[in-house]
Amino acid sequence: MKSEVTVPYTIEQDEDGVWCAHALLRHGVGANGEGDSPEAAVEDLREALTGLIKSFGVPNLITVTVETP
């Protein structure tokens, strides 16, 4: 069975020039990705999240619709 899971993440470049992406799958369970470019860091993060989801399962999700100005 395939599930599509959307996970917010942050990305920043450290003092050594390495791009670092971070995501929280659920409370206390997070993943990190690193790379020479933002795209490489996100791809590394995607692989880490895939492993976590295989180990811990798909997190509980909620979708909220809001109006914005």
mmCIF file of all heavy atoms in Angstrom, residues 7-30:
data_model
loop_
_atom_site.group_PDB
_atom_site.id
_atom_site.type_symbol
_atom_site.label_atom_id
_atom_site.label_comp_id
_atom_site.label_asym_id
_atom_site.label_seq_id
_atom_site.Cartn_x
_atom_site.Cartn_y
_atom_site.Cartn_z
ATOM 1 N N VAL A 7 5.115 16.565 4.815
ATOM 2 C CA VAL A 7 5.788 16.932 6.060
ATOM 3 C C VAL A 7 6.476 18.284 5.852
ATOM 4 O O VAL A 7 7.289 18.431 4.938
ATOM 5 C CB VAL A 7 6.847 15.869 6.443
ATOM 6 C CG1 VAL A 7 7.557 16.239 7.727
ATOM 7 C CG2 VAL A 7 6.213 14.491 6.546
ATOM 8 N N PRO A 8 6.168 19.283 6.684
ATOM 9 C CA PRO A 8 6.880 20.554 6.563
ATOM 10 C C PRO A 8 8.344 20.392 6.984
ATOM 11 O O PRO A 8 8.664 19.557 7.821
ATOM 12 C CB PRO A 8 6.131 21.493 7.511
ATOM 13 C CG PRO A 8 5.413 20.611 8.454
ATOM 14 C CD PRO A 8 5.187 19.301 7.757
ATOM 15 N N TYR A 9 9.196 21.204 6.386
ATOM 16 C CA TYR A 9 10.624 21.130 6.729
ATOM 17 C C TYR A 9 11.231 22.522 6.696
ATOM 18 O O TYR A 9 10.659 23.453 6.137
ATOM 19 C CB TYR A 9 11.367 20.185 5.786
ATOM 20 C CG TYR A 9 11.491 20.685 4.359
ATOM 21 C CD1 TYR A 9 12.615 21.413 3.959
ATOM 22 C CD2 TYR A 9 10.498 20.435 3.428
ATOM 23 C CE1 TYR A 9 12.730 21.880 2.658
ATOM 24 C CE2 TYR A 9 10.610 20.895 2.133
ATOM 25 C CZ TYR A 9 11.721 21.615 1.752
ATOM 26 O OH TYR A 9 11.834 22.085 0.466
ATOM 27 N N THR A 10 12.388 22.638 7.299
ATOM 28 C CA THR A 10 13.179 23.867 7.221
ATOM 29 C C THR A 10 14.500 23.521 6.552
ATOM 30 O O THR A 10 14.935 22.366 6.562
ATOM 31 C CB THR A 10 13.452 24.459 8.623
ATOM 32 O OG1 THR A 10 14.158 23.496 9.409
ATOM 33 C CG2 THR A 10 12.156 24.831 9.327
ATOM 34 N N ILE A 11 15.112 24.529 5.968
ATOM 35 C CA ILE A 11 16.409 24.309 5.332
ATOM 36 C C ILE A 11 17.269 25.546 5.565
ATOM 37 O O ILE A 11 16.769 26.676 5.557
ATOM 38 C CB ILE A 11 16.265 23.988 3.830
ATOM 39 C CG1 ILE A 11 17.601 23.543 3.248
ATOM 40 C CG2 ILE A 11 15.646 25.135 3.079
ATOM 41 C CD1 ILE A 11 17.497 22.819 1.936
ATOM 42 N N GLU A 12 18.543 25.292 5.844
ATOM 43 C CA GLU A 12 19.483 26.389 6.082
ATOM 44 C C GLU A 12 20.878 25.928 5.713
ATOM 45 O O GLU A 12 21.146 24.728 5.627
ATOM 46 C CB GLU A 12 19.433 26.838 7.544
ATOM 47 C CG GLU A 12 19.757 25.731 8.524
ATOM 48 C CD GLU A 12 19.444 26.091 9.967
ATOM 49 O OE1 GLU A 12 18.808 27.118 10.209
ATOM 50 O OE2 GLU A 12 19.859 25.331 10.845
ATOM 51 N N GLN A 13 21.738 26.885 5.501
ATOM 52 C CA GLN A 13 23.130 26.586 5.183
ATOM 53 C C GLN A 13 23.966 26.848 6.420
ATOM 54 O O GLN A 13 23.857 27.907 7.039
ATOM 55 C CB GLN A 13 23.596 27.467 4.025
ATOM 56 C CG GLN A 13 24.874 27.011 3.391
ATOM 57 C CD GLN A 13 25.189 27.795 2.125
ATOM 58 O OE1 GLN A 13 24.765 28.927 1.964
ATOM 59 N NE2 GLN A 13 25.929 27.170 1.226
ATOM 60 N N ASP A 14 24.794 25.871 6.805
ATOM 61 C CA ASP A 14 25.610 26.054 8.003
ATOM 62 C C ASP A 14 26.866 26.856 7.688
ATOM 63 O O ASP A 14 27.114 27.241 6.544
ATOM 64 C CB ASP A 14 25.920 24.712 8.688
ATOM 65 C CG ASP A 14 26.891 23.824 7.918
ATOM 66 O OD1 ASP A 14 27.548 24.298 6.973
ATOM 67 O OD2 ASP A 14 27.006 22.644 8.297
ATOM 68 N N GLU A 15 27.658 27.096 8.721
ATOM 69 C CA GLU A 15 28.852 27.939 8.575
ATOM 70 C C GLU A 15 29.913 27.336 7.657
ATOM 71 O O GLU A 15 30.799 28.034 7.162
ATOM 72 C CB GLU A 15 29.454 28.257 9.951
ATOM 73 C CG GLU A 15 29.947 27.060 10.726
ATOM 74 C CD GLU A 15 28.865 26.307 11.498
ATOM 75 O OE1 GLU A 15 27.703 26.754 11.567
ATOM 76 O OE2 GLU A 15 29.187 25.234 12.029
ATOM 77 N N ASP A 16 29.822 26.026 7.401
ATOM 78 C CA ASP A 16 30.768 25.365 6.503
ATOM 79 C C ASP A 16 30.261 25.303 5.060
ATOM 80 O O ASP A 16 30.914 24.708 4.200
ATOM 81 C CB ASP A 16 31.069 23.949 6.997
ATOM 82 C CG ASP A 16 31.772 23.949 8.346
ATOM 83 O OD1 ASP A 16 32.598 24.854 8.578
ATOM 84 O OD2 ASP A 16 31.487 23.050 9.162
ATOM 85 N N GLY A 17 29.072 25.862 4.814
ATOM 86 C CA GLY A 17 28.501 25.855 3.472
ATOM 87 C C GLY A 17 27.647 24.651 3.151
ATOM 88 O O GLY A 17 27.160 24.520 2.029
ATOM 89 N N VAL A 18 27.451 23.749 4.115
ATOM 90 C CA VAL A 18 26.628 22.556 3.908
ATOM 91 C C VAL A 18 25.160 22.926 4.109
ATOM 92 O O VAL A 18 24.807 23.623 5.059
ATOM 93 C CB VAL A 18 27.027 21.432 4.894
ATOM 94 C CG1 VAL A 18 26.118 20.222 4.749
ATOM 95 C CG2 VAL A 18 28.482 21.037 4.682
ATOM 96 N N TRP A 19 24.314 22.479 3.203
ATOM 97 C CA TRP A 19 22.876 22.705 3.333
ATOM 98 C C TRP A 19 22.278 21.626 4.231
ATOM 99 O O TRP A 19 22.594 20.436 4.077
ATOM 100 C CB TRP A 19 22.213 22.694 1.965
ATOM 101 C CG TRP A 19 22.516 23.945 1.212
ATOM 102 C CD1 TRP A 19 23.534 24.145 0.334
ATOM 103 C CD2 TRP A 19 21.826 25.185 1.322
ATOM 104 N NE1 TRP A 19 23.508 25.436 -0.111
ATOM 105 C CE2 TRP A 19 22.466 26.101 0.466
ATOM 106 C CE3 TRP A 19 20.716 25.615 2.054
ATOM 107 C CZ2 TRP A 19 22.032 27.411 0.321
ATOM 108 C CZ3 TRP A 19 20.288 26.918 1.903
ATOM 109 C CH2 TRP A 19 20.941 27.801 1.050
ATOM 110 N N CYS A 20 21.437 22.035 5.182
ATOM 111 C CA CYS A 20 20.845 21.124 6.165
ATOM 112 C C CYS A 20 19.331 21.293 6.144
ATOM 113 O O CYS A 20 18.823 22.407 6.301
ATOM 114 C CB CYS A 20 21.375 21.435 7.560
ATOM 115 S SG CYS A 20 23.171 21.389 7.679
ATOM 116 N N ALA A 21 18.627 20.203 5.950
ATOM 117 C CA ALA A 21 17.166 20.192 5.954
ATOM 118 C C ALA A 21 16.698 19.398 7.167
ATOM 119 O O ALA A 21 17.277 18.362 7.499
ATOM 120 C CB ALA A 21 16.632 19.573 4.669
ATOM 121 N N HIS A 22 15.644 19.883 7.836
ATOM 122 C CA HIS A 22 15.149 19.262 9.062
ATOM 123 C C HIS A 22 13.623 19.142 8.991
ATOM 124 O O HIS A 22 12.958 20.056 8.526
ATOM 125 C CB HIS A 22 15.514 20.102 10.285
ATOM 126 C CG HIS A 22 16.932 20.550 10.314
ATOM 127 N ND1 HIS A 22 17.953 19.728 10.731
ATOM 128 C CD2 HIS A 22 17.514 21.718 9.957
ATOM 129 C CE1 HIS A 22 19.107 20.385 10.638
ATOM 130 N NE2 HIS A 22 18.860 21.595 10.164
ATOM 131 N N ALA A 23 13.106 18.022 9.481
ATOM 132 C CA ALA A 23 11.661 17.815 9.523
ATOM 133 C C ALA A 23 11.304 17.019 10.771
ATOM 134 O O ALA A 23 12.077 16.178 11.227
ATOM 135 C CB ALA A 23 11.187 17.061 8.289
ATOM 136 N N LEU A 24 10.134 17.301 11.305
ATOM 137 C CA LEU A 24 9.618 16.576 12.463
ATOM 138 C C LEU A 24 8.454 15.716 11.995
ATOM 139 O O LEU A 24 7.449 16.232 11.504
ATOM 140 C CB LEU A 24 9.165 17.569 13.536
ATOM 141 C CG LEU A 24 8.817 17.003 14.892
ATOM 142 C CD1 LEU A 24 10.034 16.334 15.526
ATOM 143 C CD2 LEU A 24 8.314 18.109 15.804
ATOM 144 N N LEU A 25 8.616 14.399 12.105
ATOM 145 C CA LEU A 25 7.565 13.473 11.664
ATOM 146 C C LEU A 25 6.437 13.431 12.683
ATOM 147 O O LEU A 25 5.264 13.432 12.336
ATOM 148 C CB LEU A 25 8.145 12.075 11.451
ATOM 149 C CG LEU A 25 7.201 11.019 10.928
ATOM 150 C CD1 LEU A 25 6.673 11.388 9.552
ATOM 151 C CD2 LEU A 25 7.904 9.665 10.864
ATOM 152 N N ARG A 26 6.804 13.395 13.940
ATOM 153 C CA ARG A 26 5.863 13.449 15.063
ATOM 154 C C ARG A 26 6.678 13.840 16.284
ATOM 155 O O ARG A 26 7.913 13.883 16.220
ATOM 156 C CB ARG A 26 5.139 12.128 15.277
ATOM 157 C CG ARG A 26 6.044 10.950 15.585
ATOM 158 C CD ARG A 26 5.279 9.685 15.871
ATOM 159 N NE ARG A 26 4.424 9.367 14.743
ATOM 160 C CZ ARG A 26 4.134 8.171 14.320
ATOM 161 N NH1 ARG A 26 4.588 7.141 14.980
ATOM 162 N NH2 ARG A 26 3.381 7.954 13.291
ATOM 163 N N HIS A 27 6.041 14.133 17.391
ATOM 164 C CA HIS A 27 6.750 14.588 18.585
ATOM 165 C C HIS A 27 7.870 13.611 18.946
ATOM 166 O O HIS A 27 7.641 12.419 19.125
ATOM 167 C CB HIS A 27 5.775 14.730 19.759
ATOM 168 C CG HIS A 27 6.428 15.259 20.988
ATOM 169 N ND1 HIS A 27 6.828 16.565 21.098
ATOM 170 C CD2 HIS A 27 6.794 14.652 22.130
ATOM 171 C CE1 HIS A 27 7.397 16.745 22.274
ATOM 172 N NE2 HIS A 27 7.392 15.596 22.922
ATOM 173 N N GLY A 28 9.090 14.122 18.982
ATOM 174 C CA GLY A 28 10.234 13.301 19.357
ATOM 175 C C GLY A 28 10.834 12.470 18.249
ATOM 176 O O GLY A 28 11.805 11.758 18.465
ATOM 177 N N VAL A 29 10.258 12.528 17.039
ATOM 178 C CA VAL A 29 10.772 11.734 15.920
ATOM 179 C C VAL A 29 11.020 12.679 14.749
ATOM 180 O O VAL A 29 10.091 13.124 14.087
ATOM 181 C CB VAL A 29 9.789 10.616 15.495
ATOM 182 C CG1 VAL A 29 10.359 9.815 14.331
ATOM 183 C CG2 VAL A 29 9.465 9.710 16.666
ATOM 184 N N GLY A 30 12.292 13.002 14.518
ATOM 185 C CA GLY A 30 12.642 13.927 13.451
ATOM 186 C C GLY A 30 13.670 13.328 12.518
ATOM 187 O O GLY A 30 14.251 12.281 12.786
#
